[in-house]
Amino acid sequence: MTPVAEHRHVPSSDADAILNALPNPVLLVAPDGKIVDANMAAESFFEISTQFLRRQSLKELVPFGSPLLALIDQVRSSGSPVNEYKVDLGTPRIGGDRQVDLHVALLTERPGHIVVMLQERTIADKMDRQLTHRSAARSVIALAAMLAHEIKNPLSGIRGAAQLLEQGASPEDRMLTRLICDEADRIVTLVDRMEVFGDERPVARGPVNIHSVLDHVKRLAQSGFARNIRFVEDYDPSLPPVLANQDQLIQVFLNLVKNAAEAVVDLGIDGEIQLTTAFRPGVRLSLPGKKSRVSLPLEFCVKDNGSGVPEDLLPNLFDPFVTTKATGSGLGLALVAKIVGDHGGIIECESQPRKTTFRVLLPMFNTAQHLEQDRGNGAPGPSLVAQD
Protein backbone atom coordinates (compact mmCIF):
# COMPACT_ATOMS: atom_id res chain seq x y z
CA MET A 1 0.00 0.00 0.00
CA THR A 2 1.36 3.43 -0.91
CA PRO A 3 1.85 6.12 1.72
CA VAL A 4 -1.01 8.13 0.17
CA ALA A 5 -3.37 5.17 0.47
CA GLU A 6 -2.35 4.65 4.08
CA HIS A 7 -3.03 8.31 4.80
CA ARG A 8 -6.53 8.04 3.34
CA HIS A 9 -7.46 4.85 5.18
CA VAL A 10 -10.28 5.32 7.70
CA PRO A 11 -10.77 2.78 10.53
CA SER A 12 -14.00 0.82 10.16
CA SER A 13 -15.43 2.17 13.42
CA ASP A 14 -14.89 5.75 12.24
CA ALA A 15 -16.33 4.95 8.81
CA ASP A 16 -19.47 3.54 10.44
CA ALA A 17 -19.81 6.67 12.58
CA ILE A 18 -19.45 8.91 9.51
CA LEU A 19 -22.07 6.93 7.56
CA ASN A 20 -24.52 6.98 10.43
CA ALA A 21 -24.07 10.74 10.79
CA LEU A 22 -25.25 11.29 7.22
CA PRO A 23 -28.91 12.37 6.91
CA ASN A 24 -29.25 10.52 3.57
CA PRO A 25 -29.87 6.76 3.30
CA VAL A 26 -26.82 4.81 2.07
CA LEU A 27 -26.80 1.13 0.99
CA LEU A 28 -23.96 -1.21 0.05
CA VAL A 29 -25.17 -3.76 -2.50
CA ALA A 30 -23.29 -7.02 -3.26
CA PRO A 31 -22.85 -8.46 -6.79
CA ASP A 32 -25.78 -10.83 -6.22
CA GLY A 33 -28.10 -7.94 -5.30
CA LYS A 34 -28.06 -8.61 -1.55
CA ILE A 35 -27.69 -5.68 0.82
CA VAL A 36 -24.38 -5.90 2.67
CA ASP A 37 -24.66 -2.85 4.88
CA ALA A 38 -26.80 0.25 5.50
CA ASN A 39 -26.65 3.35 7.66
CA MET A 40 -29.20 4.56 10.21
CA ALA A 41 -30.88 6.88 7.71
CA ALA A 42 -31.58 3.85 5.50
CA GLU A 43 -33.20 2.10 8.47
CA SER A 44 -35.50 5.06 8.88
CA PHE A 45 -36.29 5.32 5.16
CA PHE A 46 -37.17 1.64 4.68
CA GLU A 47 -38.62 1.36 8.23
CA ILE A 48 -36.65 -1.81 9.06
CA SER A 49 -33.44 -2.45 10.99
CA THR A 50 -30.00 -2.89 9.43
CA GLN A 51 -29.95 -6.48 10.68
CA PHE A 52 -33.11 -7.21 8.69
CA LEU A 53 -31.91 -5.19 5.69
CA ARG A 54 -28.86 -7.44 5.44
CA ARG A 55 -31.14 -10.40 4.82
CA GLN A 56 -32.90 -8.66 1.95
CA SER A 57 -32.27 -8.39 -1.75
CA LEU A 58 -32.59 -4.88 -3.15
CA LYS A 59 -35.33 -6.15 -5.48
CA GLU A 60 -37.45 -6.93 -2.41
CA LEU A 61 -37.28 -3.34 -1.15
CA VAL A 62 -37.95 -1.28 -4.29
CA PRO A 63 -40.91 -1.32 -6.71
CA PHE A 64 -40.97 -3.91 -9.49
CA GLY A 65 -38.90 -2.75 -12.45
CA SER A 66 -37.44 0.18 -10.51
CA PRO A 67 -34.92 2.35 -12.44
CA LEU A 68 -32.53 1.86 -9.53
CA LEU A 69 -31.89 -1.75 -10.59
CA ALA A 70 -31.05 -0.68 -14.13
CA LEU A 71 -28.74 2.06 -12.83
CA ILE A 72 -26.81 -0.48 -10.76
CA ASP A 73 -26.33 -2.68 -13.84
CA GLN A 74 -25.20 0.39 -15.80
CA VAL A 75 -22.62 1.34 -13.17
CA ARG A 76 -21.28 -2.20 -13.03
CA SER A 77 -20.83 -2.35 -16.80
CA SER A 78 -19.41 1.17 -17.29
CA GLY A 79 -17.51 1.58 -14.03
CA SER A 80 -18.66 5.20 -13.85
CA PRO A 81 -20.94 6.72 -11.20
CA VAL A 82 -24.47 7.70 -12.26
CA ASN A 83 -27.01 10.18 -10.88
CA GLU A 84 -30.76 9.97 -11.48
CA TYR A 85 -33.29 12.52 -10.23
CA LYS A 86 -36.85 12.21 -8.97
CA VAL A 87 -37.17 8.44 -8.98
CA ASP A 88 -40.18 7.00 -7.16
CA LEU A 89 -39.19 4.27 -4.68
CA GLY A 90 -42.58 4.22 -2.95
CA THR A 91 -44.10 0.89 -1.95
CA PRO A 92 -47.24 0.11 0.06
CA ARG A 93 -45.11 -0.72 3.10
CA ILE A 94 -43.01 2.47 3.26
CA GLY A 95 -45.47 4.82 1.57
CA GLY A 96 -46.75 5.38 -1.92
CA ASP A 97 -44.99 8.72 -2.65
CA ARG A 98 -41.25 8.49 -1.94
CA GLN A 99 -39.41 10.41 -4.65
CA VAL A 100 -35.63 10.40 -4.33
CA ASP A 101 -32.50 11.51 -6.14
CA LEU A 102 -30.19 8.53 -6.71
CA HIS A 103 -26.39 8.53 -6.60
CA VAL A 104 -24.91 5.15 -7.59
CA ALA A 105 -21.18 4.33 -7.71
CA LEU A 106 -18.74 1.41 -7.56
CA LEU A 107 -16.92 0.68 -4.31
CA THR A 108 -13.42 0.18 -5.74
CA GLU A 109 -12.12 -1.52 -2.59
CA ARG A 110 -14.68 -4.34 -3.03
CA PRO A 111 -15.05 -5.46 -6.65
CA GLY A 112 -18.64 -5.76 -7.83
CA HIS A 113 -20.07 -3.93 -4.80
CA ILE A 114 -22.21 -0.83 -5.39
CA VAL A 115 -22.84 2.14 -3.11
CA VAL A 116 -26.32 3.64 -3.42
CA MET A 117 -27.17 6.97 -1.78
CA LEU A 118 -30.75 8.26 -1.70
CA GLN A 119 -31.70 11.89 -1.27
CA GLU A 120 -35.38 12.13 -0.50
CA ARG A 121 -37.15 14.77 -2.58
CA THR A 122 -40.61 14.54 -1.04
CA ILE A 123 -39.98 16.91 1.86
CA ALA A 124 -38.08 19.43 -0.28
CA ASP A 125 -40.82 19.49 -2.92
CA LYS A 126 -43.51 19.91 -0.27
CA MET A 127 -41.59 22.79 1.31
CA ASP A 128 -41.39 24.57 -2.05
CA ARG A 129 -45.08 23.96 -2.68
CA GLN A 130 -46.07 25.24 0.77
CA LEU A 131 -44.02 28.43 0.38
CA THR A 132 -45.68 29.05 -2.99
CA HIS A 133 -49.13 28.45 -1.51
CA ARG A 134 -48.30 30.64 1.47
CA SER A 135 -47.38 33.55 -0.80
CA ALA A 136 -50.58 33.16 -2.82
CA ALA A 137 -52.61 32.82 0.37
CA ARG A 138 -51.56 36.29 1.57
CA SER A 139 -53.55 37.88 -1.26
CA VAL A 140 -56.57 35.71 -0.46
CA ILE A 141 -56.29 36.56 3.24
CA ALA A 142 -56.23 40.30 2.49
CA LEU A 143 -59.30 39.95 0.28
CA ALA A 144 -61.07 37.86 2.95
CA ALA A 145 -60.36 40.49 5.63
CA MET A 146 -61.82 43.24 3.45
CA LEU A 147 -64.89 41.16 2.57
CA ALA A 148 -65.41 40.22 6.22
CA HIS A 149 -65.69 43.88 7.16
CA GLU A 150 -67.99 44.70 4.26
CA ILE A 151 -70.24 41.66 4.82
CA LYS A 152 -70.87 42.36 8.50
CA ASN A 153 -72.36 45.81 7.89
CA PRO A 154 -75.26 44.74 5.63
CA LEU A 155 -75.82 41.61 7.73
CA SER A 156 -76.37 43.78 10.78
CA GLY A 157 -79.03 45.75 8.87
CA ILE A 158 -80.72 42.59 7.59
CA ARG A 159 -80.86 41.10 11.08
CA GLY A 160 -82.21 44.32 12.59
CA ALA A 161 -84.93 44.57 9.94
CA ALA A 162 -85.95 40.95 10.53
CA GLN A 163 -86.23 41.59 14.28
CA LEU A 164 -88.49 44.60 13.66
CA LEU A 165 -90.71 42.57 11.31
CA GLU A 166 -90.87 39.78 13.90
CA GLN A 167 -92.62 42.07 16.43
CA GLY A 168 -95.77 42.40 14.29
CA ALA A 169 -95.62 39.15 12.36
CA SER A 170 -97.97 36.19 12.59
CA PRO A 171 -96.67 32.93 14.13
CA GLU A 172 -96.03 31.52 10.63
CA ASP A 173 -94.12 34.63 9.56
CA ARG A 174 -92.14 34.65 12.80
CA MET A 175 -90.63 31.33 11.74
CA LEU A 176 -89.33 33.04 8.60
CA THR A 177 -87.96 36.08 10.44
CA ARG A 178 -86.29 33.77 12.96
CA LEU A 179 -84.76 31.84 10.04
CA ILE A 180 -83.35 35.11 8.65
CA CYS A 181 -81.81 35.98 12.02
CA ASP A 182 -80.32 32.51 12.50
CA GLU A 183 -78.79 32.45 9.03
CA ALA A 184 -77.39 35.97 9.50
CA ASP A 185 -75.78 34.82 12.79
CA ARG A 186 -74.34 31.75 11.06
CA ILE A 187 -72.72 33.91 8.36
CA VAL A 188 -71.26 36.25 10.99
CA THR A 189 -69.77 33.26 12.82
CA LEU A 190 -68.17 32.03 9.61
CA VAL A 191 -66.81 35.50 8.86
CA ASP A 192 -65.36 35.74 12.39
CA ARG A 193 -63.54 32.47 11.82
CA MET A 194 -62.18 33.73 8.49
CA GLU A 195 -60.85 36.90 10.17
CA VAL A 196 -58.43 34.73 12.15
CA PHE A 197 -56.47 34.21 8.92
CA GLY A 198 -55.92 37.94 8.56
CA ASP A 199 -54.29 38.28 11.98
CA GLU A 200 -50.65 39.14 11.16
CA ARG A 201 -49.57 40.13 14.68
CA PRO A 202 -46.33 38.48 15.88
CA VAL A 203 -46.82 35.33 17.94
CA ALA A 204 -45.53 35.35 21.52
CA ARG A 205 -43.28 32.30 21.67
CA GLY A 206 -41.07 30.59 24.23
CA PRO A 207 -39.81 27.14 25.24
CA VAL A 208 -42.61 24.56 25.12
CA ASN A 209 -42.48 20.90 26.13
CA ILE A 210 -44.19 19.17 23.20
CA HIS A 211 -44.94 16.06 25.24
CA SER A 212 -46.93 18.12 27.75
CA VAL A 213 -48.90 19.57 24.83
CA LEU A 214 -49.60 16.13 23.32
CA ASP A 215 -50.58 14.66 26.71
CA HIS A 216 -53.02 17.55 27.24
CA VAL A 217 -54.52 17.09 23.77
CA LYS A 218 -54.82 13.34 24.34
CA ARG A 219 -56.69 13.90 27.62
CA LEU A 220 -59.07 16.34 25.95
CA ALA A 221 -59.69 13.91 23.11
CA GLN A 222 -60.23 10.86 25.33
CA SER A 223 -62.72 12.75 27.44
CA GLY A 224 -64.77 13.68 24.37
CA PHE A 225 -64.65 12.93 20.66
CA ALA A 226 -62.01 10.15 20.89
CA ARG A 227 -63.36 8.37 23.94
CA ASN A 228 -63.32 4.87 22.41
CA ILE A 229 -60.23 5.20 20.22
CA ARG A 230 -56.88 3.59 21.06
CA PHE A 231 -53.88 5.94 21.31
CA VAL A 232 -50.29 4.80 20.69
CA GLU A 233 -47.41 7.02 21.75
CA ASP A 234 -43.88 6.82 20.34
CA TYR A 235 -41.95 9.71 21.90
CA ASP A 236 -38.30 10.69 21.97
CA PRO A 237 -37.91 11.73 25.63
CA SER A 238 -34.63 13.56 24.93
CA LEU A 239 -36.18 16.21 22.65
CA PRO A 240 -35.29 19.83 23.45
CA PRO A 241 -38.08 22.38 23.91
CA VAL A 242 -39.84 23.67 20.80
CA LEU A 243 -39.94 27.43 20.11
CA ALA A 244 -43.68 28.00 20.10
CA ASN A 245 -46.81 29.41 21.67
CA GLN A 246 -48.25 26.63 23.84
CA ASP A 247 -51.91 27.56 23.40
CA GLN A 248 -51.56 27.64 19.63
CA LEU A 249 -49.74 24.30 19.57
CA ILE A 250 -52.63 22.80 21.51
CA GLN A 251 -54.94 24.27 18.86
CA VAL A 252 -52.88 22.64 16.09
CA PHE A 253 -52.75 19.14 17.55
CA LEU A 254 -56.33 19.26 18.83
CA ASN A 255 -57.49 19.82 15.25
CA LEU A 256 -55.21 17.11 13.87
CA VAL A 257 -56.30 14.56 16.48
CA LYS A 258 -59.96 15.48 15.91
CA ASN A 259 -59.54 14.84 12.18
CA ALA A 260 -57.80 11.54 12.89
CA ALA A 261 -60.60 10.50 15.27
CA GLU A 262 -63.24 11.24 12.62
CA ALA A 263 -61.22 9.25 10.06
CA VAL A 264 -61.22 6.08 12.21
CA VAL A 265 -64.66 6.33 13.78
CA ASP A 266 -66.08 3.69 11.40
CA LEU A 267 -63.43 1.18 12.52
CA GLY A 268 -64.84 0.88 16.03
CA ILE A 269 -62.39 -0.74 18.44
CA ASP A 270 -59.86 -1.18 15.61
CA GLY A 271 -59.44 2.58 15.24
CA GLU A 272 -55.99 3.81 16.24
CA ILE A 273 -54.27 7.18 16.53
CA GLN A 274 -50.49 7.29 16.86
CA LEU A 275 -48.60 10.29 18.25
CA THR A 276 -44.85 10.42 17.56
CA THR A 277 -42.01 12.84 18.23
CA ALA A 278 -38.50 12.67 16.77
CA PHE A 279 -35.35 14.70 16.10
CA ARG A 280 -34.53 15.18 12.38
CA PRO A 281 -31.41 17.38 12.19
CA GLY A 282 -31.17 17.30 8.38
CA VAL A 283 -34.24 19.46 7.62
CA ARG A 284 -33.53 23.15 6.88
CA LEU A 285 -35.80 25.74 5.30
CA SER A 286 -34.84 28.78 3.21
CA LEU A 287 -37.14 31.71 3.93
CA PRO A 288 -38.19 34.07 1.11
CA GLY A 289 -36.16 37.29 1.06
CA LYS A 290 -33.58 36.01 3.56
CA LYS A 291 -30.16 34.44 3.06
CA SER A 292 -30.29 32.46 6.30
CA ARG A 293 -31.73 28.97 6.51
CA VAL A 294 -33.92 27.94 9.43
CA SER A 295 -33.36 24.52 10.96
CA LEU A 296 -36.55 22.52 11.61
CA PRO A 297 -35.20 19.53 13.53
CA LEU A 298 -38.31 18.73 15.61
CA GLU A 299 -40.78 16.38 13.95
CA PHE A 300 -44.22 15.69 15.44
CA CYS A 301 -46.65 13.32 13.74
CA VAL A 302 -50.31 12.41 14.11
CA LYS A 303 -51.06 9.13 12.34
CA ASP A 304 -54.28 7.19 11.90
CA ASN A 305 -55.40 3.95 10.25
CA GLY A 306 -58.50 5.41 8.61
CA SER A 307 -59.54 5.30 4.97
CA GLY A 308 -57.14 8.09 3.97
CA VAL A 309 -57.41 11.43 2.13
CA PRO A 310 -58.53 11.35 -1.52
CA GLU A 311 -55.50 11.80 -3.76
CA ASP A 312 -57.03 14.72 -5.67
CA LEU A 313 -57.44 16.72 -2.43
CA LEU A 314 -53.89 16.26 -1.10
CA PRO A 315 -52.24 19.16 -3.01
CA ASN A 316 -54.81 21.67 -1.68
CA LEU A 317 -55.64 20.06 1.65
CA PHE A 318 -54.54 23.07 3.72
CA ASP A 319 -56.42 25.66 1.67
CA PRO A 320 -59.55 27.26 3.19
CA PHE A 321 -62.87 25.57 2.37
CA VAL A 322 -61.21 22.31 1.21
CA THR A 323 -62.79 19.45 3.17
CA THR A 324 -63.79 15.80 2.89
CA LYS A 325 -66.66 16.22 5.36
CA ALA A 326 -70.24 16.71 4.21
CA THR A 327 -70.89 19.27 6.98
CA GLY A 328 -67.39 20.71 7.40
CA SER A 329 -66.37 24.28 6.58
CA GLY A 330 -62.83 23.39 5.55
CA LEU A 331 -61.22 25.90 7.93
CA GLY A 332 -59.65 23.55 10.50
CA LEU A 333 -56.60 22.46 8.51
CA ALA A 334 -56.23 25.92 6.98
CA LEU A 335 -55.98 27.36 10.50
CA VAL A 336 -53.48 24.63 11.45
CA ALA A 337 -51.32 25.51 8.43
CA LYS A 338 -51.47 29.23 9.30
CA ILE A 339 -50.39 28.65 12.91
CA VAL A 340 -47.55 26.34 11.87
CA GLY A 341 -46.46 28.88 9.22
CA ASP A 342 -46.55 31.70 11.79
CA HIS A 343 -44.16 29.59 13.90
CA GLY A 344 -41.72 29.30 11.00
CA GLY A 345 -42.49 25.62 10.45
CA ILE A 346 -44.17 23.48 7.84
CA ILE A 347 -46.89 20.83 7.86
CA GLU A 348 -47.36 18.06 5.33
CA CYS A 349 -49.68 15.13 4.80
CA GLU A 350 -48.97 11.67 3.42
CA SER A 351 -51.99 9.46 2.95
CA GLN A 352 -53.00 6.07 1.70
CA PRO A 353 -55.64 3.65 2.93
CA ARG A 354 -54.98 2.62 6.54
CA LYS A 355 -51.98 4.95 6.87
CA THR A 356 -52.41 8.72 7.00
CA THR A 357 -49.67 10.89 8.53
CA PHE A 358 -49.78 14.59 9.34
CA ARG A 359 -46.18 15.70 9.95
CA VAL A 360 -45.32 19.01 11.65
CA LEU A 361 -41.72 20.31 11.50
CA LEU A 362 -40.81 23.13 13.89
CA PRO A 363 -37.67 24.93 15.16
CA MET A 364 -36.31 24.18 18.58
CA PHE A 365 -35.95 26.78 21.33
CA ASN A 366 -32.69 28.74 21.31
CA THR A 367 -32.23 31.16 24.20
CA ALA A 368 -30.06 33.66 22.30
CA GLN A 369 -32.32 33.77 19.23
CA HIS A 370 -35.41 34.06 21.41
CA LEU A 371 -34.07 37.09 23.28
CA GLU A 372 -32.99 38.75 20.03
CA GLN A 373 -36.07 38.11 17.90
CA ASP A 374 -39.04 37.73 20.20
CA ARG A 375 -38.49 40.19 23.08
CA GLY A 376 -41.59 42.31 23.44
CA ASN A 377 -43.70 40.42 20.93
CA GLY A 378 -47.07 39.36 22.20
CA ALA A 379 -50.22 38.12 20.52
CA PRO A 380 -53.11 36.16 21.90
CA GLY A 381 -53.66 32.88 20.10
CA PRO A 382 -56.92 31.64 18.64
CA SER A 383 -59.49 30.09 20.98
CA LEU A 384 -58.87 26.41 21.65
CA VAL A 385 -61.68 24.91 19.63
CA ALA A 386 -61.22 22.11 17.12
CA GLN A 387 -62.62 23.39 13.83
CA ASP A 388 -64.17 21.38 11.02
Side-chain angles (χ1 to χ4, degrees), residues 125-188:
D125 289 342
K126 287 179 179 176
M127 283 182 179
D128 292 341
R129 186 163 63 241
Q130 282 201 33
L131 290 176
T132 301
H133 287 175
R134 196 175 295 170
S135 177
R138 291 191 182 99
S139 299
V140 177
I141 288 169
L143 178 61
M146 181 189 70
L147 287 176
H149 177 74
E150 296 301 324
I151 288 172
K152 281 185 176 181
N153 289 334
L155 278 178
S156 177
I158 292 171
R159 196 183 192 286
Q163 287 177 320
L164 289 175
L165 289 174
E166 187 176 9
Q167 295 176 5
S170 64
E172 293 80 7
D173 290 339
R174 282 199 190 97
M175 292 179 61
L176 296 177
T177 56
R178 177 46 46 192
L179 177 63
I180 294 173
C181 291
D182 290 343
E183 288 301 294
D185 291 340
R186 187 176 66 85
I187 296 172
V188 168

Side-chain angles (χ1 to χ4, degrees), residues 51 69 101 122 139 180 232 318 324:
Q51 183 178 4
L69 303 176
D101 296 340
T122 309
S139 299
I180 294 173
V232 177
F318 298 102
T324 60

Side-chain angles (χ1 to χ4, degrees), residues 4 29 40 72 140 157 180 198 220 225 262 277 302 311 356 361:
V4 174
V29 183
M40 292 175 64
I72 289 177
V140 177
I180 294 173
L220 289 175
F225 56 80
E262 292 172 348
T277 65
V302 177
E311 188 174 351
T356 296
L361 301 174

Side-chain angles (χ1 to χ4, degrees), residues 226-270:
R227 184 176 293 108
N228 299 317
I229 297 173
R230 181 173 69 256
F231 278 78
V232 177
E233 296 158 301
D234 183 9
Y235 295 161
D236 180 350
S238 65
L239 282 188
V242 59
L243 177 59
N245 178 288
Q246 180 163 316
D247 288 345
Q248 292 195 3
L249 273 196
I250 293 174
Q251 173 80 76
V252 165
F253 288 100
L254 188 62
N255 275 281
L256 293 180
V257 170
K258 183 174 184 290
N259 281 353
E262 292 172 348
V264 302
V265 67
D266 294 337
L267 299 178
I269 61 173
D270 294 326

